[in-house]
């Protein structure tokens, strides 16, 4: 067991001797729960992990006493964010200092005289950032001292020592194969699998697995992970059964906004002597605890990107962890986007998946002063970007029919990027031309609604009006009887502006006529649709047809005849 009597000689002068808790004392568990008990103490308690801090090039020494010979002993040192140099040594205790005696403790000055000034016998030394162990099944009695040094930077570390390693087992045991396997690899997903810890499968202790994902390197301890990110961040809750958690649902892989990021801690703000700390850049690192399952899919990763994956088995009773052998994997490349070639003056149909994108290329054969792009978005608005020889010329949202005229350049090549809607798939018609008179799409007014006149409504007819333009175009009006339950939502689903009159039944056609007005204020036309049934609902559509034969549909109008006249 680890005892205290002679450790007081090496601590700052004190009038009261301090008792080291041992595993035989009832007080042990209560004292361990009191975190302040061992704060900044040089005593290592038996069977409890302590956390401490090292300043660079400033050594630190810890002590413990093993009272009896042939005592099992295990010491574990966990570096956090920097390599450590540490050494474990022992020196014999004077016979008078044996714990076999009884009575009051000897005066402090008398105990000091009994301690030898000789250096102890070195048992073990290590330099590096691995979690390293000293284990002995039979250790001699004596005063043990653990010396630690960080030459790289200020750092955290953890120490655990016990004289009952067989029964304690606070760290989860690793399986015979402690590697993480990558079982599936996609462009945005990686599936990981690992063998369960025997601590969970055989000893039935509560174990949960915590995954750490980042793009820099593997971590050798959970302590190192916690040193990398804010120690205030709590582990995320385990996902619902059957659903893998997706920790990358953000614009930038992989954190939500933190209102406290970049701020100094409170005690540094108010202290004149606090070390200066500058805000650190956000780290691309995420961790999530997933309970006791041993397969997990990480999703929403970036294509063609290397990620590092670490797995830690955490004993939820002791909150102590063991690292599996980390792995790394590169996600698959994004499927190469096929570029659609546009021909001068020819309309091209484009289909874009929900949230997808398409690339189009236009390379005029002849020299040109201007180039015109006409875009007809059949459904929802889409985003368009136009680059000429890599230089961005245009970036806008397009709804309905839009026309853009850009300055030309000899031998120029134009790249058009179309990004689809978040609501659903997008359909477009695209025309690129260097001939300004070659316009396949008809011109449209600002307002493409159809207006119905309620006072002119009868049992067999309705009167409607719509706006035209200064350009002479052909207008065709169609009707379709619908149920009384037909609503605006159904109408919206059918609002594909690119579906022309050729998709309609001949019986739906009411009439076609040409119309325009040089005075834009008077570019209005009306039409009365006759031969309707009393009390019935009808969906009216107006199509404007351009010189190239391409049509654009106005917004559909739902009307109803009077039931009684």
């Amino acid at each position: 067991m680890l005892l205290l009597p002679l450790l007081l000689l090496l601590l700052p002068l004190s009038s009261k001797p301090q008792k080291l808790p041992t595993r035989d004392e009832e007080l042990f568990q209560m004292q361990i729960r009191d975190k302040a008990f061992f704060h900044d103490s040089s005593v290592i308690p038996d069977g409890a992990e302590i956390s401490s801090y090292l300043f660079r090039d400033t050594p630190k020494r810890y002590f413990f006493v093993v009272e009896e010979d042939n005592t099992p002993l295990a010491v574990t040192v966990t570096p956090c964010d920097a390599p450590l140099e540490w050494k474990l040594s022992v020196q014999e205790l004077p016979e008078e200092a044996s714990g076999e005696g009884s009575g009051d403790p000897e005066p402090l000055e008398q105990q000091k005289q009994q301690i030898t000034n000789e250096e102890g016998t070195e048992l073990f030394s290590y330099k590096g950032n691995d979690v390293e162990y000293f284990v002995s099944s039979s250790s001699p009695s004596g005063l043990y001292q653990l010396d630690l040094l960080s030459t790289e930077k200020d750092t955290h570390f953890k120490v655990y020592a016990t004289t009952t390693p067989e029964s304690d087992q606070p760290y989860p045991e690793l399986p015979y194969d402690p590697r993480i396997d990558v079982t599936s690899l996609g462009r945005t997903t990686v599936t990981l699998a690992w063998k369960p810890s025997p601590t969970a499968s055989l000893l039935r202790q509560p174990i949960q697995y915590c995954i750490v994902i980042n793009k820099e390197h593997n971590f050798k301890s959970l302590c190192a992970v916690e040193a990398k990110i804010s120690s205030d961040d709590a582990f995320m809750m385990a996902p619902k059964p059957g659903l893998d958690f997706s920790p990358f649902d953000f614009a930038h892989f992989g954190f939500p906004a933190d209102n406290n990021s970049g701020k100094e801690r409170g005690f540094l703000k108010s202290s004149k002597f606090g070390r200066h700390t500058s805000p650190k850049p956000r780290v691309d690192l995420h961790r999530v605890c997933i309970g006791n399952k041993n397969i997990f899919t990480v999703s929403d990763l970036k294509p063609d990107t290397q990620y590092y994956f670490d797995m830690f088995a955490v004993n939820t009773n002791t909150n102590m962890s063991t690292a599996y052998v980390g792995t790394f994997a590169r996600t698959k490349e994004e499927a190469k986007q096929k570029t659609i070639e546009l021909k001068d003056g020819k309309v091209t149909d484009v289909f874009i998946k929900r949230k997808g994108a398409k690339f189009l290329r236009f390379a005029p054969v002849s020299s040109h002063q201007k180039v015109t792009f006409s875009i007809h978005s059949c459904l929802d608005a889409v985003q368009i970007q136009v680059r000429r020889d890599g230089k961005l010329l245009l970036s806008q949202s397009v709804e309905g029919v839009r026309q853009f005229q850009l300055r030309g350049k000899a031998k120029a090549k134009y790249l058009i990027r179309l990004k689809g809607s978040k609501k659903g798939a997008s359909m477009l018609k695209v025309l690129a031309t260097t001939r300004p008179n070659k316009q396949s799409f008809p011109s449209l007014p600002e307002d493409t609604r159809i207006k119905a006149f309620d006072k002119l409504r009868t049992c067999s007819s309705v009167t409607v009006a719509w706006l035209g333009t200064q350009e002479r175009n052909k207008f065709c009006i169609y009707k379709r009887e619908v149920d009384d339950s037909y609503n605006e939502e159904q109408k919206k689903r059918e609002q594909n502006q690119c579906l022309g009159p050729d998709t309609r039944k001949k019986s739906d056609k009411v009439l076609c006529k040409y119309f325009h007005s040089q005075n834009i204020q008077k570019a209005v036309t009306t039409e009365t649709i006759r031969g309707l049934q009393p009390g019935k609902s009808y969906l009216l559509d107006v199509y404007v047809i351009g010189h190239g034969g391409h049509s654009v549909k106005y917004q559909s109008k739902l009307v109803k005849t009077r039931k009684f006249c």
Side-chain angles (χ1 to χ4, degrees), residues 29-88:
Q29 290 299 330
M30 182 192 74
Q31 291 171 326
I32 291 300
R33 286 194 293 269
D34 182 5
K35 297 298 183 183
F37 187 80
F38 293 106
H39 182 66
D40 285 339
S41 169
S42 295
V43 175
I44 298 177
D46 188 359
E49 186 179 63
I50 63 169
S51 300
S52 192
Y53 194 80
L54 275 174
F55 290 109
R56 183 169 65 91
D57 294 330
T58 304
K60 206 165 199 176
R61 175 172 289 176
Y62 287 89
F63 302 93
F64 58 88
V65 171
V66 174
E67 186 184 36
E68 299 176 358
D69 286 332
N70 303 317
T71 299
L73 177 65
V75 178
T76 302
V77 178
T78 304
C80 290
D81 50 350
L84 293 181
E85 298 178 23
W86 64 274
K87 178 180 70 174
L88 181 67

Side-chain angles (χ1 to χ4, degrees), residues 142-170:
L143 174 66
Y144 286 74
Q145 65 184 42
L146 177 66
D147 295 289
L148 302 106
L149 177 67
S150 172
T151 59
E152 189 173 296
K153 63 177 181 178
D154 301 349
T155 183
H156 291 88
F157 66 92
K158 293 184 178 184
V159 176
Y160 174 80
T162 180
T163 55
T164 54
E166 290 299 320
S167 60
D168 281 6
Q169 296 186 342

Side-chain angles (χ1 to χ4, degrees), residues 140-307:
S141 62
L143 174 66
Y144 286 74
Q145 65 184 42
L146 177 66
D147 295 289
L148 302 106
L149 177 67
S150 172
T151 59
E152 189 173 296
K153 63 177 181 178
D154 301 349
T155 183
H156 291 88
F157 66 92
K158 293 184 178 184
V159 176
Y160 174 80
T162 180
T163 55
T164 54
E166 290 299 320
S167 60
D168 281 6
Q169 296 186 342
Y171 295 99
E173 187 181 345
L174 290 177
Y176 68 90
D177 182 2
R179 294 173 298 178
I180 305 171
D181 294 321
V182 177
T183 60
S184 177
L185 193 62
R187 294 196 308 270
T188 60
T189 61
V190 173
T191 299
L192 307 171
W194 57 95
K195 293 177 176 59
S197 165
T199 306
S201 57
L202 299 179
L203 301 180
R204 303 297 179 187
Q205 291 192 27
I207 297 295
Q208 72 169 339
Y209 298 101
C210 298
I211 300 174
V212 174
I213 309 106
N214 80 104
K215 294 192 286 188
E216 293 183 5
H217 55 75
N218 288 111
F219 290 91
K220 296 183 178 180
S221 69
L222 204 50
C223 173
V225 175
E226 291 165 349
K228 188 74 173 177
I229 60 179
S230 170
S231 60
D232 295 332
D233 289 342
F235 278 111
M236 307 195 87
M237 297 298 290
K240 294 180 181 178
L243 294 176
D244 281 351
F245 177 74
S246 171
F248 302 103
D249 268 339
F250 315 111
H252 178 65
F253 158 72
F255 294 99
D258 181 359
N259 294 331
N260 295 322
S261 62
K263 293 182 180 178
E264 292 181 343
R265 296 189 181 273
F267 74 89
L268 287 178
K269 289 182 180 179
S270 59
S271 171
K272 291 182 180 179
F273 308 105
R275 294 189 174 199
H276 175 72
T277 59
S278 57
K280 293 182 179 180
R282 187 171 293 282
V283 181
D284 274 348
L285 182 150
H286 201 89
R287 61 183 179 180
V288 56
C289 291
I290 59 170
N292 59 5
K293 63 179 180 177
N294 62 332
I295 186 168
F296 185 75
T297 297
V298 183
S299 57
D300 292 326
L301 304 175
K302 291 183 178 180
D304 194 26
T305 304
Q306 183 158 298
Y307 291 94

